[in-house]
Amino acid sequence: MSHHLLGSRRWTLRTLALLVSASLLSIVPFTGTASAHGSTINPASRNYGCWQRWGNDFQNPSMQQQDPMCWQAWQSDTTAMWNWNGLYRENVAGNHQGAIPNGQLCSAGLTSAGRYRSMDTPGAWKTTTLSRTFNINLWDQASHGANYIRVYISRQGYNATTTPLSWSNLELVRETGRYAPGNTYMINNISAGSRTGRHVVYTIWQASHMDQSFYFCSDVVF
């Protein structure tokens, strides 16, 4: 066989291998060290929503027009979506406001060397429509349990499309007791009060297996 044909055949095999790898990547979530944790899945956190909508199609250029906030997030760091369940900090000792600066609430204070920094970007994130009395479904993949779960809602007048989230934009509306280890936790009958329109639901899950705190921004419309 000629060197030209051998080179062409090797190139074809390498191309096929790359295509197969890309296909597998598009359907198999990243399973790094942060994969066995959790997130709010309804209403979806920002990065869980991006993974849910685009995890099987993350190279589709249509994302830029159809879902521009997810587009900028994928471009910033794809592992922020593959590791949608790894957005946490350790050893906060309950001092969440001291550990997480204003403007960095959705990235847990640029945790994991800034992997989730795109979550802090204000803009037209896709929303979940909720009634003024609503539930939160939190997924705990590793069954860590919870010492407590805190639910905040942005104050009326806060504009998530133009302003990064700060603590002063939030009102604490629920703090739960402990949850035994399991895979899903429901926080039921949360009241949004008289809020209408677009808001951010900010959820803090304090895991009970160690001092590990998870932080989730979910964009909603009441």
Side-chain angles (χ1 to χ4, degrees), residues 37-42 44-48 84-86 137-141 205 214-216:
H37 296 294
S39 185
T40 51
I41 59 175
N42 188 29
S45 64
R46 287 180 174 177
N47 49 337
Y48 177 75
W84 54 265
N85 45 10
N137 186 355
L138 192 150
W139 170 250
D140 177 2
Q141 184 172 332
W205 162 33
F214 292 76
Y215 303 89
F216 313 123

Side-chain angles (χ1 to χ4, degrees), residues 9-200:
R9 186 173 181 181
R10 287 170 182 158
W11 182 88
T12 301
L13 289 172
R14 282 198 300 270
T15 301
L16 286 171
L18 288 170
L19 288 171
V20 169
S21 297
S23 297
L24 288 173
L25 181 61
S26 69
I27 60 174
V28 179
F30 182 84
T31 54
T33 56
S35 65
H37 296 294
S39 185
T40 51
I41 59 175
N42 188 29
S45 64
R46 287 180 174 177
N47 49 337
Y48 177 75
C50 289
W51 176 82
Q52 187 179 42
R53 290 190 295 275
W54 298 101
N56 292 335
D57 199 19
F58 68 98
Q59 293 175 317
N60 188 338
S62 297
M63 189 195 319
Q64 187 170 13
Q65 287 75 41
Q66 296 177 16
D67 203 345
M69 298 313 296
C70 283
W71 172 261
Q72 62 87 31
W74 282 100
Q75 302 311 303
S76 174
D77 192 328
T78 57
T79 62
M81 271 58 65
W82 295 122
N83 268 330
W84 54 265
N85 45 10
L87 212 169
Y88 66 90
R89 294 183 70 90
E90 293 180 344
N91 303 315
V92 170
N95 186 15
H96 304 291
Q97 294 193 32
I100 312 298
N102 288 327
Q104 298 178 9
L105 274 67
C106 298
S107 68
L110 299 179
T111 192
S112 300
R115 170 186 288 163
Y116 302 97
R117 68 176 66 249
S118 60
M119 302 299 109
D120 291 320
T121 305
W125 292 91
K126 296 290 188 182
T127 59
T128 302
T129 300
L130 300 175
S131 64
R132 289 185 189 169
T133 300
F134 65 99
N135 304 329
I136 288 177
N137 186 355
L138 192 150
W139 170 250
D140 177 2
Q141 184 172 332
S143 298
H144 287 323
N147 285 346
Y148 57 82
I149 299 168
R150 290 181 184 169
V151 180
Y152 298 78
I153 308 176
S154 58
R155 299 180 188 278
Q156 193 71 25
Y158 167 68
N159 189 344
T161 66
T162 60
T163 308
L165 189 64
S166 295
W167 289 104
S168 61
N169 301 133
L170 296 173
E171 179 185 0
L172 178 64
V173 297
R174 177 73 64 84
E175 179 170 340
T176 74
R178 296 178 64 87
Y179 284 81
N183 290 133
T184 59
Y185 310 130
M186 294 293 297
I187 305 100
N188 296 315
N189 300 318
I190 302 165
S191 174
S194 61
R195 290 173 176 84
T196 58
R198 188 184 190 101
H199 284 273
V200 173

